[in-house]
Amino acid sequence: MATQLRPRPELHVLSATEEAPDALPLVVVERLDDEAVGLLRRLHRGGAKRLILVPATIDDLGLSAAVEHGVVGLVRRSEASAERMAHVIMAVARGEGALPADLLARLMAQMGRLQRQVLEPRGLNLLGLSTREVEVLRLVADGHDTREIAAELSYSERTVKNVLHDVTRRLQLRNRAHAVAYALRNGLI
């Protein structure tokens, strides 16, 4: 892979001893087995926020594990031409994701199943807010005070305050306004 990428003028391939703060780790594996997942985990925990993976084969479980450990660019080894790799590397460097269309569809189907089978039965969504938390934030966004929210939802004022406190603490937000902004930015309200 390094031999293929070195001639590309837009890329700089680092040697094993070189380091660069904006380097993008490129992991080439046969398949995503426990050893490969361990490597991705170590790289991700070591500070690599965007990884590129080049597997010969990948299944749905491997795809989920890859995304969980920071992979945002993926190219099957059979499709890993110098041109394709340069395109994916540059896309990831710009902060974009790059997955083959069929893998993106499989990943989206997995996310849908996760939402329906795991999160919804527990009153949660993919962004980690419960239905009750979303209802409270929606009413805060509409300008209601704690007493009005409690009356509207048939909660005690203490429950409303606890919901807001839990959301701001868990999501590391500063106050109610910040919580509402977070919910708006993420399409929750």
Side-chain angles (χ1 to χ4, degrees):
M1 188 63 61
T3 304
Q4 218 180 1
L5 296 176
R6 266 196 192 93
R8 301 296 301 206
E10 68 271 31
L11 302 177
H12 175 71
V13 179
L14 299 176
S15 70
T17 58
E18 287 181 279
E19 289 187 31
D22 57 347
L24 296 171
L26 178 66
V27 178
V28 181
V29 295
E30 188 63 32
R31 60 185 168 77
L32 217 58
D33 55 14
D34 290 342
E35 184 180 336
V37 170
L39 173 61
L40 293 175
R41 183 181 301 114
R42 284 189 304 280
L43 289 167
H44 191 60
R45 286 185 180 161
K49 299 302 176 207
R50 297 171 294 163
L51 300 168
I52 301 169
L53 179 65
V54 183
T57 62
I58 190 162
D59 59 14
D60 285 352
L61 187 60
L63 182 59
S64 293
V67 170
E68 180 182 344
H69 297 297
V71 171
V72 295
L74 191 144
V75 179
R76 289 184 183 94
R77 195 177 309 162
S78 61
E79 301 165 353
S81 66
E83 185 68 30
R84 178 75 181 130
M85 290 305 303
H87 174 76
V88 168
I89 292 167
M90 297 305 291
V92 170
R94 289 188 304 269
E96 300 170 6
L99 291 174
D102 66 308
L103 293 182
L104 181 59
R106 287 170 34 196
L107 184 61
M108 291 175 73
Q110 286 179 21
M111 297 299 287
R113 281 192 303 275
L114 174 68
Q115 177 66 35
R116 286 187 309 278
Q117 297 172 1
V118 178
L119 298 176
E120 279 179 11
R122 291 167 178 79
L124 298 172
N125 60 40
L126 287 171
L127 294 173
L129 294 179
S130 69
T131 303
R132 177 166 81 167
E133 291 167 337
V134 171
E135 289 173 345
V136 168
L137 288 173
R138 185 173 291 120
L139 290 170
V140 170
D142 288 340
H144 297 282
D145 65 20
T146 302
R147 185 179 34 78
E148 293 169 330
I149 295 169
E152 173 78 22
L153 299 176
S154 301
Y155 297 154
S156 71
E157 288 184 41
R158 174 48 75 209
T159 298
V160 172
K161 289 177 183 178
N162 284 339
V163 167
L164 290 168
H165 174 74
D166 290 347
V167 168
T168 56
R169 183 186 45 78
R170 188 175 68 244
L171 299 175
Q172 300 176 352
L173 305 169
R174 290 184 302 222
N175 51 39
R176 289 176 177 214
H178 196 191
V180 168
Y182 173 87
L184 284 168
R185 280 190 209 109
N186 289 289
L188 297 171
I189 58 174

